[in-house]
Amino acid sequence: LPILPLASSTGVPTFGYTTPRAVADQRDLLVAWGDTYDIQPATFPLMFRHALSCILFKTATEDVPACTVRSISVSGLKETGAYTEGSGWSGGSGSATYLITPNQTLTTSDIDVRVGTAPQTMIVLPQVLPEGAEVSVDYMPDGASGYETLTASIAGLELAMGYKTVIRLILPPPAAVETGDLGIEVSGSVVFHH
């Protein structure tokens, strides 16, 4: 990646970014700034911070049904934006869907457990999710004959720059699957260390 601004450049650094659709191709992006420059010795201390936001998934804090989670997708996210140092992100566009396939078996004792592995962390543009943004889970309760896909709205959820957001999946027990309701709970965002 280039270091901005280049020696021949002046002004505030700005660059465009598009989030890769494949979660495995998403990478952390750091930006740096400094506000002092020492002539002797020629040093320029930089402060680094994460420019993107990340999403990970966990089970509920109680009443987890025994099941297998085949996939989780998040849809309706902006995928392209421009970053300007000092101003942050602007001009978000596109409507992307990001998918992980944990194929993870959960038991009733898997309370507050991560669903998916570290490489299955979604690293996306910071944004407030628009109307129509959803999370979908493809899962099969123990004893069921097939997978069910449940969805929930995440419109209005803020994905803040430099923070991770934990979406807790509140999966219905086998007897309630017919309703098609997926409960979600969003934990407070915390600074992410990748």
Side-chain angles (χ1 to χ4, degrees):
L1 288 176
I3 297 174
L4 300 173
L6 300 174
S8 61
S9 300
T10 60
V12 178
T14 298
F15 61 87
Y17 181 80
T18 299
T19 305
R21 292 277 176 116
V23 173
D25 295 336
Q26 295 172 356
R27 300 288 182 261
D28 195 4
L29 176 64
L30 296 174
V31 292
W33 79 100
D35 54 9
T36 60
Y37 177 74
D38 293 330
I39 302 289
Q40 293 297 328
T43 61
F44 191 76
L46 295 176
M47 305 279 290
F48 285 88
R49 63 181 167 190
H50 297 278
L52 300 173
S53 182
C54 71
I55 304 170
L56 59 92
F57 303 92
K58 284 190 164 187
T59 59
T61 55
E62 58 186 38
D63 300 326
V64 175
C67 64
T68 300
V69 175
R70 180 165 56 184
S71 65
I72 303 170
S73 66
V74 176
S75 61
L77 279 70
K78 296 173 187 170
E79 64 181 325
T80 300
Y83 178 83
T84 302
E85 183 55 49
S87 301
W89 291 95
S90 63
S93 64
S95 180
T97 298
Y98 303 109
L99 171 76
I100 63 169
T101 54
N103 288 313
Q104 186 170 342
T105 300
L106 301 172
T107 67
T108 55
S109 62
D110 285 331
I111 294 171
D112 193 32
V113 169
R114 181 161 180 175
V115 181
T117 61
Q120 294 175 326
T121 299
M122 296 177 183
I123 303 176
V124 299
L125 287 177
Q127 60 192 282
V128 175
L129 299 183
E131 281 300 315
E134 293 184 327
V135 60
S136 297
V137 178
D138 195 22
Y139 90 116
M140 181 171 51
D142 278 6
S145 59
Y147 283 88
E148 299 286 335
T149 301
L150 305 176
T151 62
S153 173
I154 50 174
L157 175 62
E158 181 179 3
L159 304 175
M161 181 175 138
Y163 286 80
K164 68 179 174 183
T165 299
V166 177
I167 297 178
R168 292 191 186 282
L169 306 172
I170 304 169
L171 301 167
V177 169
E178 295 79 35
T179 64
D181 291 332
L182 168 66
I184 62 164
E185 175 183 293
V186 178
S187 296
S189 295
V190 295
V191 174
F192 83 83
H193 303 282
H194 198 65

